[in-house]
Amino acid sequence: MAEKDPLVSSWFGVEFQGQIVGAFRECTGLGSENEIVEYKASGPRGEFVIKKVPGRLKWNNITLKRGITDSMDMWQWRKLVEQGKIDEARKNGTITMYNQQGEPVARWNFINAWPSKLTGPSANASNNEVAIEELEITHEGYERVS
């Protein structure tokens, strides 16, 4: 079997319920973990050993970063949560990773996401860098679909 090269990402596209939200330069936090539950059990010779089993499942928050634009979509979405309209804010979505040619190379679908944190750019007129805004979303699960 031929060995495949790892995927190289160039940018990430994020879509919430069919509405394109935008392109992001960085996406972190795609992952999950289980709490570890330890218990004492008898070993084969009657000694006590500590066994470990998976406990509750926890989904990591997803953090997306992009250069700030005139688009207010993320700010309007976050405002729903600030106003206590969490049911209205919850959305299903897709994160798509694209390569340098703009072709999709990996995709993750997530459910019941809402923006738990939104950070605007730091103001520094002395440098020549792109101003970055950061969105952190909390969700109730995801799966890699391609």
Side-chain angles (χ1 to χ4, degrees):
M1 178 184 285
E3 187 175 324
K4 291 187 175 184
D5 290 333
L7 300 175
V8 176
S9 67
S10 180
W11 57 280
F12 296 87
V14 178
E15 180 181 325
F16 295 95
Q17 291 184 236
Q19 178 184 8
I20 300 288
V21 171
F24 292 82
R25 72 178 200 165
E26 188 176 331
C27 174
T28 59
L30 284 168
S32 65
E33 62 184 286
N34 285 85
E35 292 178 357
I36 298 171
V37 177
E38 295 182 350
Y39 68 95
K40 195 185 310 184
S42 294
R45 292 180 293 276
E47 77 279 13
F48 287 111
V49 295
I50 301 297
K51 299 240 179 184
K52 297 179 182 182
V53 295
R56 291 183 292 195
L57 174 65
K58 175 184 168 188
W59 300 100
N60 299 340
N61 288 348
I62 299 169
T63 301
L64 300 161
K65 295 180 183 180
R66 72 176 181 188
I68 194 165
T69 66
D70 60 355
S71 175
M72 297 292 291
D73 54 358
M74 294 189 325
W75 297 90
Q76 291 163 348
W77 190 27
R78 175 69 189 142
K79 191 168 187 88
L80 291 173
V81 176
E82 292 170 352
Q83 295 171 340
K85 301 176 182 174
I86 189 66
D87 288 339
E88 192 177 334
R90 288 185 187 275
K91 299 190 181 308
N92 297 336
T94 301
I95 295 173
T96 305
M97 184 173 76
Y98 294 89
N99 64 16
Q100 290 88 349
Q101 291 76 37
E103 301 162 336
V105 292
R107 180 172 283 125
W108 297 263
N109 291 338
F110 52 88
I111 59 169
N112 287 331
W114 55 276
S116 55
K117 182 178 179 182
L118 180 59
T119 306
S122 299
N124 186 348
S126 66
N127 67 28
N128 204 14
E129 297 175 0
V130 173
I132 302 297
E133 58 186 356
E134 184 176 311
L135 175 68
E136 186 173 317
I137 60 173
T138 299
H139 57 92
E140 296 177 1
Y142 74 90
E143 65 177 335
R144 182 168 173 188
V145 293
S146 69

